[in-house]
Amino acid sequence: MISAFLDSFAGLHSSAVWVFICSLVIFSGTGNLLLHWLKLACPSFAFRFNTSLSLGFVVSAFFLALGAEAGHGLFGAVALLLKVAGIVGFWFMVKDADFFRFLARRNYWSPFPLFPLLILLGLLIGSIGAFQYPASWDECVYQLAVPVRWVADGRPHFYADLPYSGFPMLPQFIWMFAIASGGGLAAVKLLIFCMTASFFIQLYLLMATPRTRPAAGIFVLSFLFAPVMLHVLISGYAEPVQACLTASALSLLQKKGISRQTMLLTGILAGGIASIKLTGAFSAAAVLFYAFLCANKKLRLSQFAVFVASAVMVALPFYLRSWILTGSPCYPYFAGLFGAPSAEVSTFHKLLGTSKFASRSIPTLILLLPGLAFPAISDMFDGVYGLQLILWLIPLLIAFSMRFRRCEKILIPLFPLLFLVVCWFLSSRQARFLLPALVFLALSLHNSTPAMLRAGKHFRFFFLAAVVMAAAMAIPRSVPSVYASNLRAMIYHGMDGKRDILFGRTGDSMLPLAELLRTSPLKDIPGKCLLILEERTLYLPSGRCEIGTPCFQDKYFPSGVIPSKDDLYDMLVRQDISMVFLRMPENNPDYLPQYSDVWFPVLWDALSRLVKEDKLTAQALPGPALLYIRRDCLPASPAK
């Protein structure tokens, strides 16, 4: 039983690959129709494909969201229209870009394609994570769990037990499309990896010129193998999508003679960035800042108006959806600002972002930035960027010290970069949230290249060698063995290996609970299973389990009021809850002692008293977990 439902979540099966390939054709083709319609010239097929992919991703998500909210029938009609548009647009792409001649042009990567090949090899190694079972907290709580619930329910919903389902959630409509098309979560993981690969390829294209290809390749490789990226590659986060759209937006703004058409497309991408999640608004604002600085001075107001109008047009429906469903466009944050009845939930989620890094002073900001490079002085949850992050600032300093004539062009990307860093500092400081900042850093380095060329050949060689050494030293020693063991487990070790991967990241009680709820007699018990101090629902039966963690949600424990045992039991009966799963947070990055350590003993005591009163029965699970079952929901024993 457990093998069957695990196999539906990951693994490289034919339907997932087919849905993935079709999705790429649809998104890139749809985006290319925009480029073709606006008659925007593209310097290369690689530029056209990556830009079209990003544009098509945003446009497709926009129309799928409108169709899904209108009803299942319209969602299917929109999906069909997108397929037709994608096929037509992809044909134009192949025709306009002269694809086959592009493949034959070896001089595109000339004179020696070492670094592009190394980047592709690095991405191939990183793709191992795309075929692993989703196990990160974000994947299991909302990034993938929400679209799975949407598909099961037939349309998107806001779930009161899962506050993150009230996010703008632009990518989740794409994931819903991929899952509903039969690709499952394997297709979703492949799409996320594809957007990650597109991000790094665009970074290279932004920096590469005939004289700077080695530096561009080393820049990309130095961050491709950074600890933060090795963590991102095995987790279905939204940040790679956000970074990919940012790279596409800034690539468009590098075109000579920026026009209103360019601003229109960049605005569409910025609106998409803002609609990915709330922190995406910071990256969108940084793109807006950069677009304003790049706009033609004579036409700045009109071009800027086009940018803002298109960005608002794309982002507004996603935030309006959140506002209508929850009472706040930023739910579960800023409840007091919008008068939403979720003060305790808002406080809880605010503490999730500030509990580790409470200080907001300027000295803290200055001291925290080196922490992004050095693991020894950092407390970053998802890894660091390595010493190479510091080394890449040296070319900028050289350009300024030489009073290089293009200092203005170096500064233009740095202003949005600093803006993005400050916004990150004032919000939840997780290292992966700064992935879009690498695009601005790449542009500044690209503009400082002439100064580096003047610095001398020997200096460039030793500098790039130092970056390579720093990047190699930053790779955690456990990475090769972890990747190798995960690959072996997925291929050779069968179900035991698959269990080990999930146990290591979700805790020992998750899979036993998933199996129990799918087998008799618990499968036949009516009602829902309430998860307390556990928010990961991805592997649990859809529609059967809901999150009841106090203060995380306000459906079952509104206003954070601690109930008595009788009130608790009345709530179980009233809400049609037949089972309660309680465990201390295990492998949970969002564990807050001031909440969990208060609620666990109170709830454990109340549930234990109900067991003594013979209203509940308790079943132990591996790990510090118990499953409580209402006795009046158990099937009657057959008469002797």
Side-chain angles (χ1 to χ4, degrees):
M1 176 63 71
I2 198 168
S3 176
F5 86 82
L6 275 183
D7 285 342
S8 68
F9 281 93
L12 190 60
H13 47 84
S14 57
S15 60
V17 175
W18 174 246
V19 169
F20 166 67
I21 293 172
C22 290
S23 298
L24 288 188
V25 170
I26 292 168
F27 302 149
S28 59
T30 304
N32 187 63
L33 276 183
L34 275 174
L35 296 177
H36 186 82
W37 176 54
L38 295 173
K39 298 179 180 178
L40 205 68
C42 297
S44 67
F45 178 82
F47 176 92
R48 178 178 287 273
F49 178 81
N50 285 287
T51 305
S52 297
L53 179 64
S54 296
L55 283 168
F57 189 93
V58 174
V59 171
S60 299
F62 178 83
F63 286 108
L64 286 171
L66 295 180
E69 290 294 345
H72 182 71
L74 190 56
F75 178 81
V78 169
L80 179 61
L81 286 174
L82 285 173
K83 290 174 184 177
V84 174
I87 293 170
V88 173
F90 193 79
W91 164 249
F92 278 125
M93 182 189 300
V94 173
K95 183 182 176 183
D96 293 350
D98 205 350
F99 176 60
F100 299 104
R101 186 180 295 177
F102 160 78
L103 289 179
R105 281 177 58 197
R106 291 183 58 192
N107 66 333
Y108 183 79
W109 301 110
S110 295
F112 185 56
L114 171 64
F115 292 103
L117 289 176
L118 286 176
I119 292 168
L120 293 175
L121 178 63
L123 290 170
L124 182 63
I125 294 171
S127 69
I128 294 172
F131 309 126
Q132 291 183 5
Y133 289 105
S136 69
W137 194 86
D138 284 39
E139 288 176 305
C140 292
V141 174
Y142 77 102
Q143 292 284 6
L144 303 184
V146 169
V148 166
R149 287 177 73 170
W150 284 354
V151 171
D153 292 340
R155 62 170 298 172
H157 287 284
F158 165 68
Y159 302 104
D161 69 302
L162 180 50
Y164 302 134
S165 62
F167 272 8
M169 305 192 83
L170 178 141
Q172 276 69 19
F173 289 95
I174 296 291
W175 310 156
M176 180 185 178
F177 169 75
I179 296 167
S181 299
L185 291 182
V188 175
K189 294 278 279 186
L190 284 169
L191 284 170
I192 294 172
F193 173 73
C194 180
M195 299 300 283
T196 309
S198 177
F199 164 61
F200 280 107
I201 291 169
Q202 288 185 87
L203 275 186
Y204 178 81
L205 294 174
L206 271 173
M207 293 184 68
T209 64
R211 301 186 71 181
T212 63
R213 283 170 186 153
I218 290 174
F219 177 84
V220 172
L221 287 167
S222 67
F223 291 115
L224 176 57
F225 290 102
V228 62
M229 276 312 305
L230 295 170
H231 184 77
V232 166
L233 282 168
I234 63 172
S235 304
Y237 291 132
E239 280 70 30
V241 178
Q242 187 177 317
C244 178
L245 300 186
T246 304
S248 296
L250 268 62
S251 296
L252 281 169
L253 291 172
Q254 299 314 298
K255 292 176 62 62
K256 291 183 179 179
I258 293 175
S259 62
R260 290 188 180 89
Q261 290 93 328
T262 306
M263 284 296 190
L264 171 68
L265 296 177
T266 310
I268 289 172
L269 290 169
I273 295 166
S275 304
I276 289 175
K277 58 192 298 188
L278 296 179
T279 52
F282 301 146
S283 299
V287 172
L288 183 147
F289 189 7
Y290 183 76
F292 180 77
L293 295 175
C294 290
N296 188 309
K297 291 181 180 179
K298 294 181 180 178
L299 303 172
R300 178 167 285 172
L301 267 180
S302 62
Q303 289 183 353
F304 195 62
V306 170
F307 177 96
V308 173
S310 57
V312 170
M313 179 191 69
V314 171
L316 189 60
F318 293 96
Y319 283 89
L320 272 179
R321 171 185 176 271
S322 300
W323 201 341
I324 292 168
L325 293 175
T326 69
S328 168
C330 304
Y331 187 86
Y333 302 96
F334 309 116
L337 189 62
F338 296 96
S342 52
E344 189 64 31
V345 176
S346 181
T347 302
F348 179 91
H349 285 86
K350 181 182 178 182
L351 283 173
L352 288 178
T354 59
S355 57
K356 282 190 176 183
F357 311 104
S359 176
R360 291 286 184 261
S361 63
I362 293 177
T364 305
L365 171 61
I366 295 171
L367 292 173
L368 186 63
L369 291 178
L372 287 166
F374 299 101
I377 62 172
S378 173
D379 193 24
M380 295 292 170
F381 161 67
D382 44 14
V384 295
Y385 289 87
L387 177 61
Q388 58 268 34
L389 181 66
I390 304 296
L391 292 179
W392 281 113
L393 300 179
I394 292 175
L396 305 180
L397 296 175
I398 290 174
F400 289 127
S401 66
M402 295 174 66
R403 295 183 180 179
F404 184 55
R405 61 184 178 84
R406 292 173 57 138
C407 279
E408 182 182 349
K409 291 189 176 181
I410 300 171
L411 281 171
I412 287 176
L414 284 183
F415 287 130
L417 171 62
L418 292 174
F419 169 80
L420 193 55
V421 169
V422 171
C423 290
W424 167 81
F425 175 72
L426 295 174
S427 64
S428 181
R429 303 172 207 165
Q430 298 182 50
R432 70 177 187 275
F433 289 179
L434 281 178
L435 276 182
L438 292 181
V439 188
F440 295 99
L441 178 60
L443 280 178
S444 287
L445 287 168
H446 173 73
N447 292 330
S448 68
T449 299
M452 278 291 288
L453 293 173
R454 289 186 193 176
K457 188 174 182 180
H458 295 295
F459 174 82
R460 294 198 306 276
F461 173 80
F462 286 112
F463 170 74
L464 294 177
V467 171
V468 171
M469 289 179 61
M473 291 170 60
I475 300 174
R477 295 179 182 178
S478 60
V479 164
S481 62
V482 168
Y483 268 73
S485 63
N486 284 348
L487 189 60
R488 285 196 301 270
M490 299 298 291
I491 297 174
Y492 300 115
H493 293 177
M495 190 48 56
D496 290 337
K498 295 169 185 178
R499 285 173 184 266
D500 290 341
I501 292 172
L502 287 174
F503 279 160
R505 301 181 74 190
T506 61
D508 291 349
S509 57
M510 178 58 70
L511 290 187
L513 176 65
E515 188 169 21
L516 271 175
L517 295 176
R518 284 176 168 83
T519 55
S520 296
L522 296 188
K523 180 180 71 173
D524 304 319
I525 295 177
K528 293 173 288 191
C529 177
L530 192 66
L531 309 177
I532 298 182
L533 302 181
E534 174 57 64
E535 293 85 43
R536 287 166 281 204
T537 62
L538 180 63
Y539 290 95
L540 303 178
S542 186
R544 188 80 195 279
C545 301
E546 292 194 0
I547 301 168
T549 299
C551 305
F552 176 85
Q553 49 76 52
D554 56 3
K555 180 177 180 179
Y556 294 105
F557 296 95
S559 304
V561 176
I562 298 177
S564 65
K565 64 177 180 62
D566 294 327
D567 292 336
L568 177 60
Y569 188 76
D570 289 343
M571 184 270 289
L572 299 182
V573 174
R574 186 174 63 255
Q575 298 282 359
D576 191 29
I577 295 166
S578 55
M579 292 170 281
V580 177
F581 175 74
L582 175 67
R583 78 169 177 182
M584 278 298 289
E586 190 176 5
N587 295 347
N588 189 337
D590 286 349
Y591 164 68
L592 289 177
Q594 60 267 48
Y595 283 88
S596 299
D597 293 353
V598 169
W599 277 90
F600 180 81
V602 172
L603 291 170
W604 181 82
D605 180 67
L607 291 167
S608 299
R609 289 174 181 271
L610 291 172
V611 170
K612 290 179 181 178
E613 293 179 7
D614 215 25
K615 292 182 177 180
L616 302 178
T617 181
Q619 182 171 343
L621 290 171
L626 286 167
L627 181 65
Y628 296 91
I629 307 167
R630 277 172 49 197
R631 284 195 174 273
D632 60 341
C633 293
L634 289 170
S637 301
K640 293 184 179 179

